[in-house]
């Protein structure tokens, strides 16, 4: 048997990760030394302000299995991931964060499962006691909310650390969604999926790019890109309160009959305020979806490439 070993692409989105790139590439190489695969590393530089680009350009000069894509500006983690999947050439692609929270040593296990015939091997972060209480809680609530509000069951602790078979990537490449939430889309794809639990490591260097407002945005974004269930809920809520207000009418008539017609200002103002607020919320929900449709009709690309060393991109 003199078959060429399969090619594994490792995709790393990086935004201001100058101190992490060398270390992670080194660890990835160590892992593949023990394995019988060919591999390539593809780093997507997502419009950072530090020396990340210089570091990866230098790596590309000295290594022939190292590729990079430079974005024209910061487009975000999800578009960077998409770009990596779009241009990776491997028979499978493993994506992971640049900050070493996702240990490359797990590739071995992931590739084993892939060889067993799974098309998607994803990872589940176990409760990490070292993570801040706030981070753990926000993450837990994020998934609770997401599952409650959408039609897809996402599991807590699944991040963008996964292996995708060429089959799944080719389908994903054709997605023209403006609004990417890769985690949800991968679950939606189906195929044969397998989960591996792991304990994440500490961020090696630099700072997390997800602050509270970004987390919040990801949550709203996650829900509204996965389903239109919130619109349905708005309708149910509408029905519920219309029914409730029906009960109010007999009371009003009764009050009129016993000559108490003008009192009740407080209850009036509070109901007006309450329904005013409710309508605004629902209008907002509808607005988000209309906004998404607006963005989608423009049909803009998910990202713009400024430079790269991959030859099949013009
Ligand atoms: N990232 C990116 N663009 C961004 C923000 C983050 O490409 O606008 C990358 C980042 O470099 C890292 C990954 O996405 O490789 C996850 O980001 P981070 O570690 O900050 O998130 P956390 O682990 O704190 O959720
Ligand atoms: Mg991180």
């Amino acid at each position: 048997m003199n078959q060429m070993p399969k090619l594994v692409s490792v995709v790393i989105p990086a935004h201001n990760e100058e101190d992490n790139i060398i270390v992670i590439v080194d660890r990835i190489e160590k892992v593949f030394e023990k394995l019988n695969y060919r591999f390539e590393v593809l780093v997507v530089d997502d419009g950072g302000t530090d020396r990340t680009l210089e570091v990866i350009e230098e790596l590309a000069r000295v290594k022939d299995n190292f590729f990079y894509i430079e974005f024209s500006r910061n487009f975000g983690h999800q578009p960077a991931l998409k770009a990596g999947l779009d241009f990776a050439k491997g028979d499978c692609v493993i994506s992971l964060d640049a900050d070493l929270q996702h240990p490359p040593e797990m590739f071995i296990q992931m590739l084993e499962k892939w060889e067993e015939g799974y098309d998607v091997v994803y990872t589940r972060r176990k409760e990490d006691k070292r993570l801040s209480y706030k981070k753990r809680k926000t993450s837990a609530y994020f998934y609770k909310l997401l599952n409650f509000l959408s039609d897809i069951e996402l599991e807590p602790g699944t991040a963008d650390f996964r292996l995708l078979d060429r089959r799944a990537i080719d389908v994903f490449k054709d997605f023209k969604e403006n609004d990417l939430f890769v985690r949800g889309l991968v679950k939606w794809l189906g195929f044969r999926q397998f989960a591996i639990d792991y304990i994440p490591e500490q961020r090696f260097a630099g700072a997390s790019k997800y602050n509270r407002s970004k987390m919040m945005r990801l949550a709203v974004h996650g829900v509204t890109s996965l389903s239109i269930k919130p619109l349905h809920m708005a309708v149910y809520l509408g029905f519920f309160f219309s029914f409730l207000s029906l009960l109010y009418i007999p009371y009003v008539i009764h009050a009129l009959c016993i000559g108490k017609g003008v009192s009740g200002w407080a209850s009036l103002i509070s109901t007006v305020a309450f329904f005013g607020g409710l309508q605004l919320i629902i209008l907002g929900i509808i607005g988000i979806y209309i906004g998404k449709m607006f963005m989608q009709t423009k049909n803009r690309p998910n990202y713009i490439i400024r430079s790269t060393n991959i030859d099949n991109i013009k």
Side-chain angles (χ1 to χ4, degrees):
M1 287 273 278
N2 206 359
Q3 221 179 350
M4 187 102 116
K6 290 181 196 162
L7 178 67
V8 178
S9 299
V10 180
V11 164
I12 312 173
H15 175 66
N16 292 343
E17 306 278 9
E18 56 181 1
D19 296 324
N20 293 324
I21 299 293
I22 300 270
V23 186
I24 195 166
V25 170
D26 197 51
R27 271 178 62 179
I28 290 169
E29 283 173 352
K30 288 231 167 62
V31 170
F32 277 102
E33 271 169 21
K34 292 176 231 145
L35 294 166
N36 184 27
Y37 290 104
R38 289 178 299 135
F39 74 100
E40 60 169 16
V41 176
L42 170 52
V43 175
V44 183
D45 177 57
D46 183 19
T49 48
D50 68 354
R51 292 188 55 255
T52 305
L53 184 67
E54 287 164 52
V55 174
I56 57 184
E57 277 173 343
E58 179 55 32
L59 280 173
R61 266 193 291 277
V62 296
K63 293 178 194 298
D64 55 7
N65 65 344
F66 187 91
F67 300 95
Y68 70 87
I69 292 172
E70 181 205 359
F71 278 0
S72 63
R73 64 170 169 86
N74 178 230
F75 278 90
H77 183 189
Q78 304 290 302
L81 199 59
K82 175 80 164 56
L85 294 173
D86 286 347
F87 294 105
K89 299 182 281 290
D91 298 302
C92 73
V93 175
I94 302 178
S95 56
L96 77 168
D97 287 358
D99 57 9
L100 291 158
Q101 283 178 317
H102 302 155
E105 290 69 29
M106 278 182 62
F107 290 3
I108 300 170
Q109 236 181 314
M110 294 164 93
L111 288 164
E112 264 168 26
K113 286 293 157 194
W114 177 52
E115 293 291 351
E116 279 175 26
Y118 289 98
D119 306 303
V120 178
V121 184
Y122 62 99
T123 60
R124 251 182 336 215
R125 187 180 67 210
K126 280 213 270 211
E127 277 275 279
D128 181 5
K129 298 283 176 278
R130 287 168 310 181
L131 273 181
S132 76
Y133 181 75
K134 205 180 87 194
K135 180 97 193 177
R136 271 186 286 150
K137 276 284 163 241
T138 44
S139 166
Y141 282 125
F142 175 71
Y143 283 98
K144 275 219 177 86
L145 190 76
L146 212 62
N147 287 334
F148 176 69
L149 292 175
S150 66
D151 310 311
I152 292 166
E153 271 302 306
L154 277 182
E155 292 166 73
T158 53
D160 291 307
F161 179 26
R162 71 173 78 75
L163 179 152
L164 293 174
D165 182 77
R166 177 52 50 197
R167 257 194 287 258
I169 300 160
D170 283 343
V171 178
F172 188 62
K173 264 164 89 169
D174 288 335
F175 278 31
K176 296 278 178 287
E177 298 201 20
N178 183 279
D179 197 12
L180 288 170
F181 186 62
V182 182
R183 246 166 275 185
L185 288 176
V186 167
K187 192 88 197 175
W188 182 87
L189 279 182
F191 289 105
R192 297 187 58 198
Q193 307 212 358
F194 189 88
I196 301 179
D197 290 317
Y198 76 106
I199 295 173
E201 294 177 19
Q202 294 279 52
R203 184 172 239 289
F204 183 72
S208 168
K209 275 98 206 167
Y210 282 99
N211 48 27
R212 189 181 314 171
S213 73
K214 265 202 174 174
M215 278 296 281
M216 192 63 207
R217 225 175 34 222
L218 189 70
V220 173
H221 180 77
V223 170
T224 51
S225 76
L226 287 182
S227 91
I228 53 167
K229 208 165 147 192
L231 291 177
H232 292 252
M233 286 194 201
V235 176
Y236 297 141
L237 220 65
F239 272 123
F240 176 72
F241 282 108
S242 325
F243 178 73
L244 216 65
S245 63
L246 277 182
L247 301 179
Y248 200 53
I249 294 171
Y251 167 76
V252 173
I253 295 171
H254 171 74
L256 263 180
C257 290
I258 59 168
K260 275 188 169 175
V262 270
S263 76
W265 179 84
S267 64
L268 201 70
I269 206 75
S270 53
T271 24
V272 168
F274 178 74
F275 285 107
L278 195 70
Q279 278 167 0
L280 277 183
I281 292 171
I282 291 168
L283 260 181
I285 295 173
I286 298 171
I288 290 175
Y289 285 102
I290 294 179
K292 290 197 172 207
M293 280 161 61
F294 171 67
M295 293 310 287
Q296 188 71 46
T297 53
K298 290 174 189 263
N299 228 342
R300 286 196 190 146
N302 289 124
Y303 51 83
I304 297 168
I305 295 173
R306 182 174 172 276
S307 73
T308 172
N309 67 335
I310 304 174
D311 11 302
N312 60 353
I313 311 178
K314 358 159 221 25

